[in-house]
Amino acid sequence: LKSNEKTIVMDQLLYSSQFVYDLDEILSQWSARSEISKQIGEALAKHYDERIARVLAKASAEAAPVQGEDGGFHVNIGSGNTFDAQAIVDGFFEAAAVLDERSAPADGRVAVLAPRQYYSLISSVDTNILNREIGNTQGSMNSGDGLYSIAGIRILKSNNLASLYGQNLSSAGLTGENNDYEVDCSNLAGLVFHKEAAGCIQSVAPQIQTTSGDFNVQYQGDLIVGKLAMGAGSLRTAVAGSFQAV
């Protein structure tokens, strides 16, 4: 049985913080701490999502870690077709064929698109792509929350992925990152993969801490800190693909 070892290293501790001044909190007409905690959590989640998206995009162009297996794959949907619904649908069927040929399990296949791509599928393509498990066809189209599955690949949407489109991140490494997240996303138009494509580790789950006691007395306020320690890397690149607008 062929095998190989892949090492995913923990990145340095990531944190986001905000000082809350007691007087500002007293005079404000809203719950400052809950909103600040929420936004700190969102900042950590954005970093988490972007790193995983970059790992998956990079995996789609990487060689296989096991000799004799296929590497990642690109599905070209045509230059300028990033938001062309029919081109995206055709890309789904091509990606499904590749995943079938590489014996990727049917369960766990996922595609991630930009929101505009997702809604373009709803508005522009024949309704035979609608997964009718939720609501009737017209109702789900009107609400925009219908579950879509094309060629057995579940579709999700992500603003964090959309923010990578058109960017060359080949030299975008940051101090404290111990894994390689550098990737050229200039032509990226979506991700399509099986869950075996990449892995993520974390030693500190996303959490919020708040100072109190002596700190509050000295500074007349509290520091709200969110922290996370994680790392991500590719695993089975044969089932890692991406849509490319070329």
Side-chain angles (χ1 to χ4, degrees):
L1 185 65
K2 294 181 179 179
S3 63
N4 203 348
E5 182 181 57
K6 290 281 289 188
T7 301
I8 301 176
V9 184
M10 195 71 62
D11 293 333
Q12 291 296 316
L13 184 69
L14 178 73
Y15 63 89
S16 177
S17 63
Q18 177 66 46
F19 179 75
V20 181
Y21 181 42
D22 283 346
L23 184 58
D24 286 344
E25 191 173 16
I26 292 170
L27 297 177
S28 67
Q29 301 299 311
W30 54 285
S31 177
R33 291 177 184 245
S34 62
E35 181 60 26
I36 289 171
S37 297
K38 172 176 172 290
Q39 293 192 25
I40 287 175
E42 290 174 348
L44 295 177
K46 184 175 187 294
H47 175 92
Y48 197 110
D49 283 357
E50 284 184 350
R51 292 307 176 276
I52 295 176
R54 284 162 67 171
V55 162
L56 288 167
K58 187 178 181 67
S60 72
E62 286 183 339
V66 177
Q67 187 176 5
E69 286 200 357
D70 296 308
F73 63 94
H74 287 172
V75 176
N76 297 332
I77 61 173
S79 179
N81 286 340
T82 299
F83 302 102
D84 185 292
Q86 190 57 57
I88 296 171
V89 171
D90 293 341
F92 268 87
F93 286 101
E94 173 61 24
V98 173
L99 291 172
D100 284 346
E101 292 166 352
R102 299 181 177 190
S103 301
D107 183 44
R109 297 183 183 186
V110 178
V112 186
L113 303 174
R116 285 192 177 275
Q117 293 174 296
Y118 179 87
Y119 291 117
S120 178
L121 291 176
I122 297 176
S123 64
S124 304
V125 179
D126 189 277
T127 55
N128 63 8
I129 69 169
L130 184 64
N131 182 333
R132 292 174 174 79
E133 291 178 2
I134 294 187
N136 60 52
T137 300
Q138 192 60 40
S140 292
M141 288 183 70
N142 287 340
S143 64
D145 61 359
L147 280 178
Y148 278 81
S149 175
I150 302 177
I153 302 172
R154 186 185 176 192
I155 307 172
L156 303 175
K157 60 182 185 292
S158 170
N159 269 332
N160 294 328
L161 175 65
S163 68
L164 303 181
Y165 287 5
Q167 295 195 52
N168 186 347
L169 303 173
S170 300
S171 301
L174 299 175
T175 302
E177 290 182 344
N178 297 321
N179 298 283
D180 186 1
Y181 302 110
E182 297 181 347
V183 58
D184 187 358
C185 298
S186 300
N187 298 311
L188 184 65
L191 298 172
V192 55
F193 56 94
H194 186 269
K195 62 183 181 181
E196 296 175 353
C200 183
I201 58 173
Q202 60 180 33
S203 61
V204 179
Q207 56 185 266
I208 298 291
Q209 293 180 317
T210 304
T211 59
S212 59
D214 293 342
F215 184 96
N216 184 279
V217 173
Q218 183 175 359
Y219 295 103
Q220 291 300 295
D222 287 317
L223 186 66
I224 301 176
V225 181
K227 63 181 181 179
L228 164 69
M230 55 84 69
S234 61
L235 294 177
R236 186 185 174 192
T237 57
V239 295
S242 64
F243 297 127
Q244 299 286 322
V246 294

